[in-house]
Amino acid sequence: MDEKYVKKVLRILDKEYPEKKVALNHKNSLELLISTILSAQCTDKRVNIVTKNLVKKYKTAENYANSKLEELQNDIRSIGLFRNKAKNIRKTCKLLVEEFNGKVPSKMKDLLKLHGVARKTANIVLSNWFGIAAGIAVDTHVKRISFRLGFTKNINPDKIEQDLMKIIDNKYWLELNHVLVLHGRAVCKAPTPSCSECVLNKICPKNNVTKSN
């Protein structure tokens, strides 16, 4: 991978999207963790609608841990996979209470012990709340755009993350997910990207892009 190409892509995206922050509304690490668990296969907009009332009802890990499963499921019913997510949230919060004094841990190895938490979720919590660059959160936008840009040839999120960590400087890991998500929503959409409107149009190899606007 050409180092100059990678740096140029990041420099352009950094300039294009100056406001870099997670789209999930939150006021503390627990709210961010719960929102991120809920966001799997669901839009951030929908999650924010649900959590607006959810965080008023469940303020601590103990509140979630002691909740009735059916009631919690009803509270998040409009979110995809709500039954499974409710189970994971209760189990995760019970573990937070039992092993972490009700607090969200700030280490990758501890976050990965939690139910419904894989590396993507852990990276989002670590980077957006704790400011820790332990890796790169690979969601559907990062996966798609990284492939189109030629940053990776893999489709497995964990392997994509490893590829990105090898070619992208650690100091940019915290912001990478944000700029790619913003770019994915605005321009590099699935299945049809708006290449003619893209700031990367002249340098992007457009891997696996068969049709564009």
Side-chain angles (χ1 to χ4, degrees):
M1 175 60 63
D2 185 345
E3 184 178 346
K4 290 183 179 179
Y5 165 69
V6 174
K7 288 184 176 180
K8 186 173 183 179
V9 167
L10 298 181
R11 186 169 61 250
I12 292 172
L13 290 178
D14 181 65
K15 183 178 179 180
E16 184 72 6
Y17 305 102
E19 293 189 16
K20 306 169 190 67
K21 62 179 182 179
V22 67
L24 296 168
N25 296 334
H26 64 283
K27 293 181 180 179
N28 55 56
S29 57
L30 179 63
E31 289 182 7
L32 178 57
L33 174 62
I34 298 301
S35 291
T36 309
I37 291 174
L38 291 174
S39 70
Q41 299 183 45
C42 183
T43 66
D44 292 344
K45 182 178 181 179
R46 168 52 54 184
V47 172
N48 287 337
I49 291 173
V50 170
T51 56
K52 183 177 181 179
N53 292 321
L54 196 70
V55 298
K56 295 177 182 178
K57 184 174 182 178
Y58 305 96
K59 298 181 182 299
T60 67
E62 288 88 345
N63 293 156
Y64 284 107
N66 296 327
S67 66
K68 294 181 179 179
L69 180 58
E70 186 176 347
E71 185 175 357
L72 181 56
Q73 287 177 342
N74 285 331
D75 290 332
I76 64 171
R77 182 172 291 274
S78 64
I79 285 181
L81 306 175
F82 70 92
R83 291 186 179 86
N84 192 51
K85 289 177 181 178
K87 291 178 182 177
N88 283 335
I89 288 172
R90 288 179 76 249
K91 289 179 180 179
T92 274
C93 288
K94 284 181 180 180
L95 197 57
L96 290 180
V97 172
E98 293 169 359
E99 294 193 21
F100 303 103
N101 197 32
K103 306 297 183 182
V104 176
S106 59
K107 294 182 179 179
M108 175 67 76
K109 65 180 181 67
D110 292 331
L111 284 168
L112 293 178
K113 294 178 182 178
L114 305 177
H115 299 269
V117 176
R119 284 193 63 89
K120 184 198 83 171
T121 298
N123 275 319
I124 289 175
V125 172
L126 289 174
S127 62
N128 290 281
W129 187 259
F130 296 103
I132 297 174
I136 298 170
V138 178
D139 59 14
T140 181
H141 295 292
V142 175
K143 178 180 177 180
R144 180 177 71 256
I145 298 174
S146 295
F147 192 89
R148 287 174 176 173
L149 286 169
F151 286 174
T152 184
K153 293 182 179 179
N154 285 301
I155 58 174
N156 177 276
D158 290 341
K159 291 183 178 179
I160 292 173
E161 181 186 10
Q162 293 303 312
D163 289 341
L164 295 177
M165 290 167 67
K166 290 176 183 176
I167 64 173
I168 295 173
D169 194 290
N170 173 274
K171 67 182 180 182
Y172 203 81
W173 290 0
L174 295 179
E175 300 179 347
L176 184 66
N177 177 268
H178 296 323
V179 295
L180 292 187
V181 167
L182 290 170
H183 193 57
R185 288 173 177 164
V187 181
C188 198
K189 302 176 182 180
T192 306
S194 300
C195 293
S196 61
E197 301 175 12
C198 183
V199 292
L200 301 173
N201 190 29
K202 293 182 179 180
I203 62 174
C204 178
K206 302 177 181 63
N207 291 340
N208 206 39
V209 175
T210 56
K211 181 180 179 182
S212 65
N213 295 326

